[in-house]
Amino acid sequence: MTPDSTELPAALRARLATDPLWDFALALYARPGAEAACLHLQDDAGLEVIELLWRLWLFHHGLAAGPMPDSVARWQAEVTAPLRRLRRSLKAEAAERESVAALRQRLKAAELDAEREALARLEAHSRRGDATHRSLTSADGLKDALPFHARLTKASHRTALERLNDQLDPQ
């Protein structure tokens, strides 16, 4: 596979299968500063955490993802985002009412399930032979794997990306 190739060799597909995206996402998100970095990029820069985690997973395996599949973008817009908005809108009231706090927890669980489904769809897309990913060279950095990197112009966005990059292979 050449750096310009979109063909994913069987060996690389097998390696992706041994490192499931959900497990990778949970492990990365739990590392110091990763959750805050992801949420900052989502809330301040408008990035979808799910897309970011998917692209970081592929970058970790030496790949740059092609475009986000339309079906996953639709899922995020029609299922995950409304659950997130509703959960967030109940935050203040949940602090005052136990019943609302319980409802908010159920919404949070549903949102997590929706995110897990999105990641499963992205993983399946990436493991198919027709996924439009390209190989990265050893000289390529995270900026080469993220198509939205150029629009992240705030220092806080760059710092968040650096934190995530540092946490990909913590020592």
Side-chain angles (χ1 to χ4, degrees), residues 104-125:
R104 190 169 180 271
Q105 282 304 114
R106 289 192 302 276
L107 287 168
K108 185 177 182 179
E111 181 185 353
L112 186 61
D113 288 344
E115 290 173 336
R116 187 174 189 162
E117 176 61 25
L119 288 173
R121 292 176 184 204
L122 287 168
E123 180 176 356
H125 167 76

Side-chain angles (χ1 to χ4, degrees), residues 91-105:
K91 186 174 185 177
E93 194 172 351
E96 298 172 12
R97 297 184 51 99
E98 221 174 280
S99 59
V100 176
L103 172 60
R104 190 169 180 271
Q105 282 304 114

Side-chain angles (χ1 to χ4, degrees), residues 68-82:
M68 175 108 138
D70 289 339
S71 63
V72 178
R74 263 191 320 278
W75 176 266
Q76 288 296 96
E78 295 172 5
V79 178
T80 309

Side-chain angles (χ1 to χ4, degrees), residues 28 31-38 41 56 142 155-170:
L28 178 61
R31 291 184 184 138
E35 177 182 358
C38 286
L41 290 169
L56 290 170
L142 187 55
S156 65
H157 300 163
R158 301 290 180 165
T159 300
L161 280 180
E162 287 171 21
R163 171 63 57 100
L164 290 169
N165 191 39
D166 291 346
Q167 292 301 326
L168 286 175
D169 288 307

Side-chain angles (χ1 to χ4, degrees), residues 48-100:
E48 274 290 332
V49 169
I50 295 305
E51 181 179 4
L52 180 60
L53 291 170
W54 171 58
R55 292 184 183 282
L56 290 170
W57 176 65
L58 289 169
F59 174 72
H60 180 71
H61 290 286
L63 296 168
M68 175 108 138
D70 289 339
S71 63
V72 178
R74 263 191 320 278
W75 176 266
Q76 288 296 96
E78 295 172 5
V79 178
T80 309
L83 288 167
R84 181 181 305 126
R85 278 191 301 275
L86 186 54
R87 175 185 55 82
R88 286 180 172 182
S89 74
L90 295 174
K91 186 174 185 177
E93 194 172 351
E96 298 172 12
R97 297 184 51 99
E98 221 174 280
S99 59
V100 176

